[in-house]
Structure formats: structure tokens, C-alpha cells
Amino acid sequence: MLTFFRRCLTLAVGAAALALGCLTYLYTQLPDTFMVPQGQTLALAQMPWIVPLEPKGGAAAVQAVPTGGSYNVTLSVLGGIPVKTVRAVVVDRRAVTVCGTPFGIKMFSDGAMVVAFTDIRTAGGSANPAKAAGLKMGDVIVSIDGHKTVDNDDVSAAIQAAEGRPVQLVYTRDGAEHTTSLQSVQDADSQRWRAGMWVRDSSAGIGTLTFVDNSTGIYGGLGHSISDADTGQSIALLSGEVAPVTITGYVAGAAGAPGELKGRFTGEGAMGDILINGATGVYGSIRRVMDGQDMVVAQAQEACEGPARILTTIGGDEPAWYDAEIEQISLTEEDPNRNMVIRITDPELLAATGGIVQGMSGSPIVQNDRLVGAVTHVLVNDPTRGFGIFAENMLASADAAAARKAA
């Protein structure tokens, strides 16, 4: 009998530990804050069994909270076991024009980015002043001897003017500003003063326009930042513009070899400015009326695993709808543009491109006739799959761009 009770106690303790572990896991999967449309209660489409307990004051109190206000609500398992108390911020339900059209990006960086090093042959041997000064690829040179270096010409002019004299060079790395001393050397072949580094001040490419918010005149696209092709570092924006492009073809993707869209600028001139190049995409003001379908923007908790569609362009400038599946969603993902995993299921798109290819970044993801997000990255080893960002995150960045435009 004693053995039987011991076994029961062991099972009970094990069950309690398992339940505690499950509740702890659920706690970590729920963010601290949710955006909830005015007049609605918090509901998680991907976890329908997680339901809010009635907040203080009841449903009437929730209905009365104005846009911009907030309240605390406790989420529970089936209305019984409390899991976590979160903050619900009341927001207006927003609609945008969903595009899916290709667009060209031309951008100048705020400073000259170091993209490569090269040793200099001097009368006394080989030298690399830039490396000796502690510079690394991805560093952005912002001034030399107090003179702002906006582009490559500024850097070259400052190096030549110094004629081998040590200069004070200010650069940024990982968002922090640093200062170093750099002493150029004279190239034995050209007799010019050189620092042993290659710098770049501009970038151009193509992507996909996700939406235009007609209430603010702001567009959003890409779903990730514009980065330097050599260093992978996000480019600090000085100025930029977006322009119409035509997709002329594509290279299909395969495992280990991502494909890409091929396109050309139409020459019609800029259709908008770039105001923000950030982790969630590129945003700016639009100068023309864009074709598209008006759709409500879904909140993050309204997206769920299951069928969806993407809107993208693989030929010309006319987007088309393709079937897809949202396979995984994370409400707490720290990377702002990897909130979901999406798989292409459309036979036509799979036959053409193999799935997601470079240039599709920003392609809208729609579910239940709402804009839930945008494609951001392809999985290198499986081009049928990729990552997506919540539309809620992109809209918040678009609002930041609108505020910058108004300032």
C-alpha cells in the first residue's frame, strides 16, 4: 500500500511539474502588449483556447476605452487557468491600399561605408593605413579632420589634401561613433595618397511595394532594411527615392541558390521619396495614386496558421495572386521581420520561380481578406519557404515616417 501511495505521489508531482512547465511556456509565448481595435475584445486567432478573463468593470468598461487608451486584461486557458496579465492598447481599425507592385530604390548613405580593403604598394613596402587605424568593413566614415564626408569624392579629397599627414577620422560602427587617427601612404605606381580602403555612398535595387496609406500619403515596402551588398550592414539614409520598374525576367531559386527577379527602371522619374530605411522596411512619401485593393490591416494576434495568399509580380508591372500557407507564427519574435514562416503552395509560382526569390521582399500576405503581413526573406535551403513580417509592424513604421514628413 505504501508503494502504491508513493507512486501516486510521484505521478501527481510529475503532472504538476508538467502543468507548470506548460504554463511557463505559454507565458513566454505571449507578448506584454497587444494592439486591439476600438470596440473589440482581445482574441488570439492562433491560440483560440487562450481567452481573456473579464476585465475590471466588465465588457462595458472595455467598450468605453477610447482610441489611444489602454487597459489590463488577464489571459487564461479556456477561461479557467490564468496565464498572463497583458496590456491592451486600443487603436483605430486601419485600411491601406495593398499594392504588390515592383519598385526601384535609389539611396544615398549618410557617410561613406567601408566595403573592402586593399594593400598599397609603397616605396617602403606594402601597407594598409585603414586597417592600421582599426577600421572594419561596414564602418561608415562621417568626417575627416572636421570636414563631413557625404560621398566617395569627399573621402578622396580629404586624403589627397592631407598629403600623408595624420588626420582625425570619425566613423560609426553598430550605431556608436568612434574616432581614430589615419595616416595615408603614397602609392608607388600612381603617386597618389591612398588609405587602402574602398568606400561606397549609394545603393540601388528593386523590391516590392507592400502598401500605400492614403490617409497619410506614406508607402511601405520590402519589410526589411536596405543593406549594403558587400557588408550586409543596413545603410544609414541620407536621401533616396523610389521609381517605377518593369520586371523583365527571373532566375528560379533552388536549395542553396536563391533566385532573383530581374528588372529595369522605366525612366518615368521618381514616384516618391525615402524617409526611413529601418528594420521593418523602407518608407516614404508617395507622389502618385497607386493601383491596388483597399484592405483592412490585421493586428498581429488576428493572423493564424493556415491558407493565405501573396500578391507579387514576376513579369511586367502587373501583380498577381498566388496561394500560400502560413506555417508558423510568433508573437514574441525579437527579429521584427521574422514574425511568421510562409510556404508557397501555388503550382504556377512554384513552376516559374521555385517559390520565393530576391525582389519579392515586401510582397503582401493576405488572409481572410485582411493584410496580415509581407514576405521578407527566403529560406536559402528551401525556396518554397520564407519569413514574413506582421503588417501591424510595418504600419507603425509608416506612421513614424508620416510624423517625420510632417515635422
Side-chain angles (χ1 to χ4, degrees):
M1 182 64 71
L2 182 59
T3 301
F4 172 76
F5 281 119
R6 284 177 176 171
R7 287 178 179 175
C8 289
L9 180 59
T10 300
L11 290 174
V13 170
L18 179 62
L20 180 60
C22 290
L23 289 176
T24 300
Y25 174 76
L26 286 175
Y27 184 94
T28 63
Q29 297 306 299
L30 296 171
D32 296 327
T33 304
F34 288 86
M35 304 297 158
V36 181
Q38 207 281 330
Q40 297 187 13
T41 57
L42 177 58
L44 280 63
Q46 58 270 66
M47 291 185 280
W49 36 272
I50 295 291
V51 296
L53 298 175
E54 187 170 281
K56 185 177 181 180
V62 171
Q63 297 287 332
V65 177
T67 298
S70 63
Y71 59 91
N72 289 334
V73 60
T74 299
L75 299 178
S76 68
V77 177
L78 298 175
I81 304 174
V83 177
K84 186 175 186 177
T85 298
V86 300
R87 195 74 171 165
V89 178
V90 179
V91 297
D92 285 328
R93 177 69 82 178
R94 301 274 292 278
V96 296
T97 300
V98 176
C99 300
T101 46
F103 72 139
I105 300 162
K106 302 175 183 178
M107 201 174 89
F108 290 92
S109 61
D110 188 13
M113 179 179 288
V114 179
V115 296
F117 294 99
T118 181
D119 290 344
I120 310 301
R121 190 173 72 85
T122 73
S126 181
N128 192 301
K131 283 187 176 180
L135 293 175
K136 296 181 178 180
M137 285 181 59
D139 290 346
V140 177
I141 301 170
V142 295
S143 71
I144 296 178
D145 269 354
H147 299 288
K148 186 174 177 61
T149 50
V150 174
D151 55 27
N152 302 349
D153 292 339
D154 292 339
V155 174
S156 179
I159 294 298
Q160 297 309 310
E163 297 183 334
R165 171 180 55 82
V167 295
Q168 185 183 65
L169 185 147
V170 178
Y171 64 97
T172 60
R173 178 186 297 167
D174 298 329
E177 189 170 275
H178 305 273
T179 301
T180 187
S181 178
L182 182 145
Q183 185 171 8
S184 58
V185 295
Q186 195 168 36
D187 190 306
D189 298 319
S190 67
Q191 298 303 304
R192 288 178 59 82
W193 296 98
R194 298 180 60 187
M197 61 184 174
W198 293 96
V199 297
R200 181 157 51 226
D201 58 24
S202 61
S203 180
I206 64 171
T208 301
L209 186 66
T210 309
F211 64 83
V212 173
D213 184 353
N214 291 315
S215 67
T216 60
I218 297 294
Y219 69 84
L222 289 188
H224 60 73
S225 67
I226 303 169
S227 301
D228 182 81
D230 292 306
T231 67
Q233 298 289 322
S234 179
I235 298 174
L237 174 67
L238 175 65
S239 64
E241 61 184 26
V242 292
V245 298
T246 295
I247 301 301
T248 57
Y250 49 80
V251 175
E260 64 176 326
L261 297 179
K262 299 288 188 178
R264 59 175 175 81
F265 287 77
T266 64
E268 297 178 32
M271 64 183 188
D273 300 315
I274 300 175
L275 297 174
I276 291 177
N277 175 38
T280 63
V282 57
Y283 304 86
S285 58
I286 200 76
R287 302 174 189 168
R288 61 172 67 177
V289 176
M290 301 299 298
D291 294 332
Q293 183 177 346
D294 290 347
M295 285 189 183
V296 166
V297 176
Q299 304 305 137
Q301 69 271 12
E302 294 175 328
C304 63
E305 296 174 3
R309 294 186 298 164
I310 72 166
L311 182 62
T312 197
T313 307
I314 62 173
D317 57 7
E318 291 295 326
W321 290 102
Y322 298 99
D323 292 331
E325 185 93 4
I326 298 176
E327 293 190 325
Q328 184 179 332
I329 291 176
S330 174
L331 293 173
T332 56
E333 173 59 56
E334 292 184 2
D335 191 326
N337 48 47
R338 300 194 178 195
N339 304 127
M340 62 185 91
V341 175
I342 185 168
R343 178 170 60 90
I344 303 301
T345 59
D346 195 284
E348 181 182 349
L349 188 58
L350 290 172
T353 66
I356 299 169
V357 297
Q358 297 176 28
M360 286 185 183
S361 295
S363 298
I365 303 171
V366 171
Q367 186 179 62
N368 298 324
D369 295 322
R370 291 178 177 176
L371 178 65
V372 297
V375 176
T376 59
H377 299 84
V378 61
L379 297 182
V380 175
N381 293 324
D382 183 1
T384 68
R385 289 177 167 84
F387 291 108
I389 183 175
F390 289 139
E392 173 186 291
N393 293 346
M394 293 188 71
L395 189 57
S397 295
D399 288 343
R404 183 170 298 183
K405 175 185 175 184

